[in-house]
Amino acid sequence: MTEMSPPGWHTDPGYTGTGPVQERWWDGSRWTDQLRTPPAAVRRRRIRIGVGVTAGVVVLAAIAGGAILLTDGSHSSENTSRGAVSPAPSSPGGQNGQGGPGGPGGRSPAPDQQQPPSEEGYATDASSGISLPVPDGWTGQSALIGASVSTGSYTCPADASQKCERGGAFVAPAQALKITAKTAEAAAKADISVNATSSYGGKAYGAITSHEQLKSEAVTVAGRKGYLVRWKVVTKKGDDGYVQSLAFASPRSADMLVVVRSGFDVSPKAPALSVMDEITEGIKAAAVTGSGSGQTA
């Protein structure tokens, strides 16, 4: 390959033969700091969706108001009340040298450079370059792929074996959520029913019996034009819920759509709906790209 080679994913030239093989993005003139696990190597995890990346494991979840399976990734659950998604295809790594694909100069980032970034008061999704504000009393989880904020868990009303969330929000690239829509409006409209079903449509709440659309409007998020759709859903058992799907272009690239799934129980014990608006308004471009523990509060 030469510097005239078109942009694309190629085996990381700094791969040493230890650990999983990763691919690095060649932008047509140099190696970038973007790494991904080759799609064929990505193992699909089935998780009960909730508001976070659990126990330090990089997994993606739909969000809030419904059940979350607390797992270390050592096993999967077939009893899922929310949809499962695969990890996004790329995440930032460390710096590297120059050179074309397969050529000299590339090197693998140090292990600490591949840890989730962390910024006080925010939970950061490194893959989409977005940080969610962590409301007072909530916890946040940053990761290379996906990030979440959560109120904490309680026993689900229709299935005591599951844990549910009073409220939370989760961000990930649209591609990771299998959303193929090309515009923010189309993505948000396509995602809201999936979000609702994943959050409240399973055994945890005894299914959704009806819903009412509360919002469907254009918004500006992190300096980018976007669109959000918000529903109120009625469940068969336990608290009803508010769910919101928000889509907008990543500050890193206008060609990358980012989706934020939010969900709150309709309950005196749950956060006020205004907190959902505060989270939406507080979303920003990630200010950190280095290492960190990934855990914020």
Side-chain angles (χ1 to χ4, degrees):
M1 287 292 200
T2 69
E3 292 192 1
M4 297 300 292
S5 300
W9 291 105
H10 303 272
T11 300
D12 183 4
Y15 178 62
T16 63
T18 59
V21 176
Q22 289 187 303
E23 294 179 336
R24 188 179 291 276
W25 181 259
W26 169 254
D27 69 3
S29 62
R30 64 181 181 84
W31 292 106
T32 70
D33 63 356
Q34 299 297 308
L35 289 173
R36 75 171 185 177
T37 300
V42 174
R43 180 173 63 86
R44 185 179 181 89
R45 280 194 180 96
R46 294 198 61 178
I47 55 174
R48 183 162 298 117
I49 335 236
V51 293
V53 180
T54 64
V57 179
V58 180
V59 293
L60 287 180
I63 169 66
I68 175 172
L69 175 62
L70 302 179
T71 174
D72 62 1
S74 61
H75 63 279
S76 62
S77 172
E78 297 302 317
N79 182 24
T80 55
S81 62
R82 299 177 162 194
V85 295
S86 298
S90 63
S91 59
Q95 297 299 315
N96 58 281
Q98 300 295 320
R107 64 181 177 85
S108 296
D112 63 340
Q113 290 177 309
Q114 298 188 57
Q115 294 300 311
S118 180
E119 179 182 3
E120 185 176 359
Y122 289 87
T124 298
D125 170 21
S127 62
S128 61
I130 289 297
S131 292
L132 300 177
V134 182
D136 291 343
W138 291 38
T139 59
Q141 183 71 53
S142 299
L144 294 178
I145 305 171
S148 65
V149 294
S150 168
T151 58
S153 62
Y154 70 100
T155 301
C156 295
D159 187 347
S161 68
Q162 299 185 27
K163 293 296 183 181
C164 290
E165 299 284 344
R166 295 292 183 190
F170 178 79
V171 59
Q175 182 181 5
L177 300 174
K178 306 301 182 184
I179 298 171
T180 59
K182 301 302 182 183
T183 68
E185 180 176 355
K189 289 181 176 179
D191 187 66
I192 187 65
S193 60
V194 177
N195 184 7
T197 300
S198 297
S199 298
Y200 290 96
K203 295 180 179 179
Y205 291 86
I208 295 173
T209 60
S210 65
H211 77 271
E212 173 189 2
Q213 182 167 288
L214 303 180
K215 284 187 177 183
S216 181
E217 62 188 27
V219 292
T220 299
V221 183
R224 295 286 195 173
K225 291 183 179 180
Y227 202 91
L228 70 79
V229 181
R230 181 182 295 175
W231 286 1
K232 179 181 180 181
V233 297
V234 177
T235 64
K236 183 176 293 187
K237 186 173 182 179
D239 296 325
D240 298 331
Y242 297 111
V243 291
Q244 176 178 288
S245 291
L246 165 66
F248 56 97
S250 166
R252 288 187 171 176
S253 172
D255 295 328
M256 177 193 288
L257 283 178
V258 178
V259 172
V260 179
R261 288 177 172 174
S262 302
F264 287 14
D265 283 357
V266 181
S267 167
K269 297 179 180 180
L273 187 56
S274 60
V275 177
M276 188 180 292
D277 293 322
E278 292 171 5
I279 292 173
T280 301
E281 294 167 2
I283 294 170
K284 68 172 189 173
V288 291
T289 57
S291 62
S293 66
Q295 182 68 41
T296 58

